[in-house]
Amino acid sequence: MALSELLKKDEINFTFSKIFTNVQSTNIGRALRSYPISQKQPIVGLASKYMIQFLLHNLYPKKIIQSNYFYLKERYQIQRALSGSEDYIQMIEDTRRACLKTNLLAKTPDVDKTLESVARATFILAVLERAYYNQTKGSNWLVSPDRDDILDLLNITHNINFGKFKKYNAIYINPDFASVSLLVKRDPKTEIDFILDDTLLSIKNTTSPTFTKEQIYYLWAYYTILFVIRNNLLCNYPLDIEIIDANSIPEINNIGIFYSRFDYLLVIPVDILILNIQNSSLFSSFEEYIDWFIIQLIANENVLY
């Protein structure tokens, strides 16, 4: 079961709602910088995540620890499922590689052309991902971007100050760990877009300036899984799995949300959220919560036992 599906379970959703009762909905206090232009916002939202990832990789290549993209990991499965997709996959990868070789800080026509090519490629990538995971049949899966779609993506990225990411020394793009895949299936609806040093990060393309506790549920569940693995807490349960990459998982001390249309990065220390758990009516300690969470994984047949 994927993590997004696990979080739909009534007990999980109810428990997260209770333990984060004191996490209040708040206005992030930032003005909208990139107003929507496109009529295809679900696609643009996903495409903007990829475009930000491509550009961040270009700007800080020496800081990249992992760079994972579903269209490369599942290239042949996509090719079999979506007729004619191979040429588009190659175009996306060629565009990504060309972007990595471009000096985006130079104010030249070539940079403008590169950015437009990246916008077009990431839009097609978002269409490809949605069609593949929605099991679209036949050859009519392609939705081509129009000028408003491209302008929307360019507007979002032009209004982001990428300098705010300079302070991070280790960047994981679409982090992927073998041990996590042993506990939950690979998730087509993942909200884990980056790990920046010790911060687990999700990108939101919303136009609403409101932070809600529900926005951290996925991040918190993923953080819990990483904590369990890093601290070797599965050894006390009858699980027939072997964790092999625990040492490669970074310690997470914060979870964060990047509101891309506001160019605002919200960071929440996990210690604050742990205090919420300890002060909740459901658990007397963080350890008790961890035990409950592991049992939920087992009960929902995410692991072999």
Side-chain angles (χ1 to χ4, degrees):
M1 182 180 294
L3 189 55
S4 57
E5 292 301 314
L6 182 66
L7 289 172
K8 293 179 182 178
K9 297 290 183 180
D10 289 342
E11 182 172 355
I12 304 283
N13 194 276
F14 171 81
T15 301
F16 276 32
S17 176
K18 287 297 183 181
I19 63 177
F20 295 132
T21 295
N22 293 327
V23 178
Q24 302 296 321
S25 297
T26 58
N27 189 300
I28 63 175
R30 295 292 189 277
L32 190 66
R33 300 191 61 178
S34 304
Y35 288 87
I37 301 172
S38 168
Q39 298 299 310
K40 308 183 189 80
Q41 284 307 307
I43 299 174
V44 167
L46 182 56
S48 65
K49 177 193 77 170
Y50 282 124
M51 189 163 181
I52 291 168
Q53 290 174 338
F54 283 17
L55 299 187
L56 201 60
H57 195 164
N58 170 286
L59 294 169
Y60 304 110
K62 294 182 179 179
K63 299 184 177 187
I64 305 300
I65 307 299
Q66 282 188 9
S67 177
N68 303 296
Y69 296 101
F70 100 99
Y71 72 94
L72 296 177
K73 284 182 172 292
E74 302 187 35
R75 183 171 189 155
Y76 299 108
Q77 294 92 322
I78 296 170
Q79 184 180 351
R80 288 196 297 270
L82 301 176
S83 176
S85 60
E86 176 57 23
D87 289 342
Y88 290 101
I89 292 173
Q90 191 59 53
M91 177 274 292
I92 293 164
E93 181 60 7
D94 289 345
T95 302
R96 186 183 73 87
R97 291 180 178 273
C99 177
L100 291 176
K101 297 176 182 179
T102 302
N103 179 8
L104 295 180
L105 299 179
K107 296 182 179 180
T108 65
D110 286 344
V111 171
D112 292 336
K113 290 180 181 178
T114 296
L115 291 173
E116 187 160 334
S117 295
V118 172
R120 186 173 302 278
T122 51
F123 185 93
I124 296 296
L125 175 53
V127 171
L128 190 76
E129 179 173 326
R130 284 166 57 88
Y132 177 63
Y133 285 123
N134 289 336
Q135 298 182 333
T136 302
K137 303 296 183 182
S139 58
N140 296 323
W141 59 269
L142 181 64
V143 178
S144 298
D146 58 30
R147 190 59 189 164
D148 284 349
D149 303 327
I150 300 301
L151 289 175
D152 206 350
L153 288 167
L154 292 174
N155 191 38
I156 292 169
T157 52
H158 281 158
N159 283 304
I160 292 174
N161 175 13
F162 283 91
K164 68 169 61 64
F165 301 105
K166 186 177 182 179
K167 66 180 182 179
Y168 297 106
N169 295 311
I171 299 175
Y172 297 71
I173 298 175
N174 298 319
D176 187 15
F177 303 104
S179 52
V180 173
S181 298
L182 292 174
L183 297 177
V184 287
K185 293 181 180 178
R186 296 188 186 278
D187 196 344
K189 297 181 180 179
T190 180
E191 296 180 23
I192 308 302
D193 300 316
F194 289 103
I195 295 177
L196 306 177
D197 286 350
D198 61 349
T199 300
L200 201 59
L201 189 69
S202 177
I203 297 175
K204 300 291 185 188
N205 189 52
T206 179
T207 57
S208 169
T210 303
F211 161 78
T212 67
K213 64 183 180 182
E214 289 79 12
Q215 292 174 359
I216 66 171
Y217 285 5
Y218 194 104
L219 288 162
W220 182 253
Y222 197 89
Y223 162 77
T224 303
I225 292 173
L226 294 187
F227 182 90
V228 166
I229 294 169
R230 271 184 52 86
N231 291 279
N232 193 31
L233 299 180
L234 294 174
C235 62
N236 298 320
Y237 299 84
L239 307 178
D240 186 22
I241 60 176
E242 181 180 358
I243 301 299
I244 59 174
D245 63 344
N247 292 334
S248 68
I249 295 176
E251 181 179 6
I252 303 299
N253 293 313
N254 309 286
I255 62 175
I257 299 171
F258 180 58
Y259 297 89
S260 56
R261 288 191 181 274
F262 295 83
D263 188 25
Y264 179 66
L265 179 58
L266 173 69
V267 177
I268 305 172
V270 298
D271 285 349
I272 291 177
L273 300 176
I274 290 174
L275 282 175
N276 275 268
I277 291 173
Q278 293 170 336
N279 293 328
S280 73
S281 59
L282 298 181
F283 304 107
S284 60
S285 66
F286 183 57
E287 290 74 18
E288 186 178 339
Y289 158 76
I290 291 291
D291 181 64
W292 168 84
F293 190 87
I294 294 174
I295 290 172
Q296 296 307 308
L297 290 175
I298 296 173
N300 286 284
E301 298 181 345
N302 285 281
V303 294
L304 301 176
Y305 59 95

